[in-house]
Structures are given as C-alpha cells and as structure tokens.
Amino acid sequence: MQIQISNPAYLPTKWGDFTIQSFKENEKEHLCVFKNKPKNTLNLRIHSECLTGDALRSLKCDCGEQLDFSLQYMQKYGGMIIYLRQEGRGIGLFNKVNAYALQDKGLDTIEANHQLGFKADERSYEIVEFILKHYGITQINLLSNNPEKLNFLNEKIVLRIPIIITPNRFNTQYLSIKQSQMGHLL
Ligand SMILES: [Zn+2]
C-alpha cells in the first residue's frame, strides 16, 4: 500500500476548531479531522463519505447527522474523525444514484445494491490500521453502531460510544434495515 501523508492544517468549522491531515491511497484521498493531539485512548469515529447526506443534508440516510454528532463530540471531548472516501457504502456515487432510483421504485437499500450486482456493503477499513499506527494509537473509544467496524477494530476498542439519531419519515426504513438485516446497534 503506497500512502502519502499531507502536512497537518488548521480548520475552523461551525462546530469548533480542528486540525486536518490527508492520507492519499492511490486515487482515494482520505481525511483525518482531529481535536487535540491524538493520544491513548483516542475517541474515534470512522465516517464513510456520503455526498448526499454530508453535503446536501439528504434525509434518506443518517450520515449528515452522524457527522455533526461526531464533530460536536470531538469538539467537546477531543478525538478524531477518519473520513474515508468510500461513497455509497463503497459502490461510488454513480452507482449509489442508480440504487436510489431503484429505491424510488420500491426496492429496499439492500435489494437495490444486490440488483446492481453489489453486496449490501462494499466498504473496507484497511487504511484505518495504517492511520492509527501512524499516530501511535493502540486504544480507542469508537463512536459507532456498526458491528463490522466493531469487529474490525475489536482488539483496540476500550469502549463503544453509541450514536443516537432521531429517525425522520424518509429514513425510517433505511434505519430499520440497518438494524434488522445488518445488525446495527440502534
Ligand atoms: Zn448517507
């Protein structure tokens, strides 16, 4: 794995002041957003890119709200968000839009992915190991409801911090499928 690391830079946001640093893995440019110096034990959120949720504030998913929750949490308690550029659970933006079109016709999130020839979730978290090693982090408090992330980082997790989001009328089905079929701890 060939990875380039940018210089750290200051980033003021609506939620407070952070430091950012980018990790470039081939064409994928990931971002670490942190409050205070990374330390043991680190409060950590691993957030996968969701353009529609994070930037357009879509109500179809809970990504934007999870990101806001995480930024506010880090502002208050310190910690890091690793923002991974794996849009649409790893299928990319173009395919995600096609999946949304199938959802408009009544398919659920998993059925739509399957119809397009993808797994329900195509994301991977290998780069996370590299990033944690780079900062010398061996123990984390993970902000997540996702069992795959919990399994992947199992050995390093001291505590799980749940992210609690209030459903809206557009994402109720999305959230219930996450819970019932993908094992999310909601
Ligand atoms: Zn989303």
Side-chain angles (χ1 to χ4, degrees), residues 92-110:
L93 183 61
F94 185 89
N95 293 320
K96 183 171 99 168
V97 175
N98 275 333
Y100 277 8
L102 290 171
Q103 289 167 31
D104 289 343
K105 292 186 178 145
L107 273 67
D108 71 32
T109 48
I110 295 177

Side-chain angles (χ1 to χ4, degrees), residues 122-141:
E122 296 268 356
R123 289 176 291 185
S124 72
Y125 301 102
E126 272 87 47
I127 183 79
V128 172
E129 294 259 37
F130 178 92
I131 293 171
L132 294 180
K133 208 170 168 190
H134 172 77
Y135 292 117
I137 293 150
T138 54
Q139 291 191 315
I140 57 178
N141 296 324

Side-chain angles (χ1 to χ4, degrees), residues 54-104:
D54 299 339
L56 302 178
R57 315 307 295 186
S58 156
L59 300 176
K60 274 179 77 75
C61 58
D62 59 350
C63 304
E65 284 194 63
Q66 291 205 50
L67 187 59
D68 286 349
F69 179 97
S70 305
L71 285 163
Q72 290 172 81
Y73 190 93
M74 301 315 173
Q75 170 62 26
K76 200 165 172 188
Y77 302 107
M80 178 188 284
I81 298 167
I82 300 179
Y83 190 95
L84 296 177
R85 305 297 298 283
Q86 43 185 356
E87 172 68 54
R89 289 183 178 154
I91 69 174
L93 183 61
F94 185 89
N95 293 320
K96 183 171 99 168
V97 175
N98 275 333
Y100 277 8
L102 290 171
Q103 289 167 31
D104 289 343

Side-chain angles (χ1 to χ4, degrees), residues 35-47:
K35 187 77 191 174
N36 306 335
K37 255 195 149 47
K39 54 156 195 191
N40 270 338
T41 305
L42 183 79
N43 296 321
L44 177 71
R45 164 72 187 160
I46 300 167
H47 189 90

